[in-house]
Amino acid sequence: MTAPFPTLPKFAIRPVQYRDLEAVETCMVQEGEAAAAEKSSFLAQQFQTTRHWYGLLKLLSLFPNPFRYHLCAYVAEAEHGRELLGFMQVAPFNQTRSTWRVQQVWLSSTANNPPLNIDSKEIGSQLLRYCFETVWEARTWILEVGADEKDALALYRQNGFQPLAHLTYWSVSPTLLAQLATDEPHLPNLLPVSNTDAQLLYQLDCVSMPPLLRQVFDLHIQDFKTSFFGSLINKIQQWCIQSQVVSGYVFEPQRKAAIGYYKLSLCKDGSRRHQAQLTVHPAYTWLYPQLLTKMAQLAQPLPPQSLELVSTDYQHEREEYLEKLGAQRSAHGLLMSRSVWHKLRETKPEGLHFSEVLQGLQPVPRTPIPTRMRWLDQPSSLPPQNQEISDSSERPTKNGKGQLRGD
């Protein structure tokens, strides 16, 4: 009995359209993000902003600019009924676009039920493969998955993703932030960030992470610069979501290097947590309490809200300080990566056949090349004065006066 032929997938994958945004927003809020109310409201607000500026973002995707790939998203749609089964949004991680990041993934839980009966992992795999085949300039893909998301972790493992680092999300309560704000940070060389400091921030970023992550991220000096157009778009985006971004770095005059950097995204309306990005030189870990105190002072004029920051498994000093400070672990995640090697498409030369290729290898009758060697059983065609004497006894020798003589 022969095995049955595999059935073709009952869905198609295509780029996202305007009519898909509202449906994806509703499904993500109701199904996948119902357990996290804060994250659910943030995703809803983000989708509303994308729908509001859809025309402008679509126009920006037609020519090179920092927001060209903001709408780089794909959906899986059922062949009958136009029901959305999955959504995936990707974006470049660096300026050279050698590394891309999977930002959002949503898979419908109703696809497993009749009449579709489609495995959600198959939908996720097809979305990932579609991105791998579409984005040819991507050499490496990275993503972040929760440590308790077993199904998502199995999906990414099945598609070739390997773990890079373990992430721990820390939450500093508003009460603890108020206590930290009463202290005065000792930061005499705290400077604002500008494009002229890109070289210093690049060196700090390289020295603060392991070589494997540095190779995967593939960041360069231009990744730490912001163009005028990008700054303008960032201001508009911050105004839409009611946020404020403050950044600074600590300069070491003797070494002429940056030893600490922070970037704080403050929520003005108190609807979500403050987000902090912190980078400290491994030899200057005493900067952790100083920089955290500075960020606590910046957050005091706004409505009380907790501060969230991330630590990795190779930043032991940061985790030890946050543990002693009294910060709470809110979530655990896993950073994963996958390398992609695209096979070059072979082009067949037109008008050139196999017989013509081997034509140069056919034996061609040629005249032998004359040499100074001859066989004894064959007469020589050379003049007698150019013939070589094969027997050593017939070869003439020189006497002491330089004259030829025979035996």
Side-chain angles (χ1 to χ4, degrees):
M1 182 177 179
T2 59
F5 290 99
T7 59
L8 296 177
K10 303 177 183 178
F11 59 90
I13 299 176
R14 59 172 175 79
V16 69
Q17 299 177 2
Y18 179 78
R19 60 183 175 88
D20 303 324
L21 297 177
E22 185 177 1
V24 172
E25 174 191 350
T26 305
C27 294
M28 290 182 67
V29 173
Q30 293 179 355
E31 294 182 11
E33 307 299 339
E38 180 182 354
K39 188 176 181 180
S40 176
S41 61
F42 177 73
L43 287 175
Q45 187 177 10
Q46 187 177 14
F47 269 92
Q48 290 175 5
T49 305
T50 304
R51 281 190 295 149
H52 183 72
W53 298 96
Y54 181 83
L56 178 61
L57 294 174
K58 197 68 177 178
L59 178 63
L60 293 176
S61 63
L62 300 178
F63 57 91
N65 59 87
F67 284 80
R68 181 181 181 182
Y69 302 96
H70 189 79
L71 286 178
C72 192
Y74 308 94
V75 295
E77 185 182 44
E79 293 184 353
H80 304 287
R82 288 189 176 183
E83 181 181 357
L84 293 182
L85 306 177
F87 169 82
M88 181 172 295
Q89 183 180 5
V90 298
F93 184 78
N94 50 10
Q95 293 290 339
T96 58
R97 297 188 296 276
S98 62
T99 302
W100 281 62
R101 181 170 186 170
V102 180
Q103 293 184 323
Q104 296 184 29
V105 178
W106 166 77
L107 302 176
S108 176
S109 59
T110 60
N112 301 324
N113 304 329
L116 296 177
N117 295 325
I118 304 176
D119 188 8
S120 58
K121 290 185 180 179
E122 179 64 22
I123 301 174
S125 298
Q126 292 297 330
L127 282 170
L128 287 171
R129 293 169 188 172
Y130 186 86
C131 294
F132 298 157
E133 296 175 0
T134 304
V135 186
W136 275 79
E137 56 188 350
R139 187 185 63 187
T140 308
W141 288 85
I142 61 174
L143 56 86
E144 184 180 338
V145 59
D148 55 344
E149 300 177 7
K150 304 300 181 182
D151 294 338
L153 185 60
L155 170 64
Y156 299 139
R157 285 274 197 178
Q158 184 180 357
N159 287 274
F161 283 88
Q162 299 295 328
L164 273 180
H166 292 269
L167 307 177
T168 303
Y169 287 85
W170 298 83
S171 178
V172 183
S173 63
T175 305
L176 190 56
L177 286 177
Q179 296 177 1
L180 290 173
T182 57
D183 300 334
E184 188 64 29
H186 181 66
L187 297 171
N189 297 316
L190 184 63
L191 304 176
V193 177
S194 62
N195 287 339
T196 58
D197 309 315
Q199 177 71 27
L200 299 176
L201 299 181
Y202 167 71
Q203 295 175 355
L204 175 62
D205 188 77
C206 289
V207 77
S208 62
M209 69 174 62
L212 181 59
L213 268 74
R214 191 162 62 244
Q215 180 182 1
V216 170
F217 291 169
D218 195 22
L219 298 176
H220 301 277
I221 297 179
Q222 59 266 24
D223 293 298
F224 298 89
K225 294 182 179 180
T226 305
S227 62
F228 174 78
F229 185 75
S231 301
L232 181 61
I233 297 296
N234 287 332
K235 292 294 184 181
I236 297 176
Q237 187 177 11
Q238 294 172 20
W239 177 78
C240 293
I241 62 176
Q242 293 296 314
S243 66
Q244 179 185 358
V245 178
V246 184
S247 60
Y249 75 99
V250 181
F251 181 73
E252 175 60 42
Q254 296 180 354
R255 301 183 58 178
K256 296 182 179 180
I259 59 176
Y261 166 80
Y262 76 91
K263 183 179 180 180
L264 185 61
S265 179
L266 301 170
C267 180
K268 295 182 178 180
D269 55 2
S271 59
R272 60 187 181 276
R273 300 177 181 178
H274 306 306
Q275 304 288 333
Q277 179 183 350
L278 194 60
T279 306
V280 176
H281 194 285
Y284 296 88
T285 55
W286 55 268
L287 283 175
Y288 281 123
Q290 309 298 330
L291 292 176
L292 199 60
T293 301
K294 179 63 178 180
M295 290 188 291
Q297 291 181 350
L298 295 174
Q300 288 308 303
L302 301 176
Q305 188 57 263
S306 59
L307 175 67
E308 185 182 60
L309 66 158
V310 187
S311 67
T312 56
D313 51 358
Y314 57 86
Q315 296 172 335
H316 307 288
E317 294 84 356
R318 179 181 301 188
E319 294 185 346
E320 182 180 357
Y321 166 71
L322 293 174
E323 186 73 28
K324 292 181 179 180
L325 184 64
Q328 301 294 326
R329 291 183 173 90
S330 58
H332 294 274
L334 190 64
L335 184 65
M336 308 183 73
S337 68
R338 182 188 190 274
S339 300
V340 180
W341 292 274
H342 295 291
K343 182 179 178 181
L344 298 179
R345 299 178 180 177
E346 299 178 358
T347 57
K348 183 178 180 181
E350 298 180 359
L352 188 61
H353 302 282
F354 189 68
S355 59
E356 298 178 0
V357 176
L358 297 180
Q359 194 173 21
L361 302 179
Q362 300 292 337
V364 179
R366 299 177 181 176
T367 57
I369 302 175
T371 62
R372 299 186 64 183
M373 299 181 62
R374 69 177 179 86
W375 300 98
L376 295 178
D377 55 350
Q378 296 180 357
S380 176
S381 59
L382 299 176
Q385 61 271 16
N386 292 335
Q387 294 183 6
E388 291 287 341
I389 302 177
S390 60
D391 191 1
S392 61
S393 62
E394 298 179 1
R395 182 179 295 114
T397 59
K398 292 184 180 182
N399 55 12
K401 297 182 181 180
Q403 299 176 354
L404 293 175
R405 63 176 180 84
D407 291 338

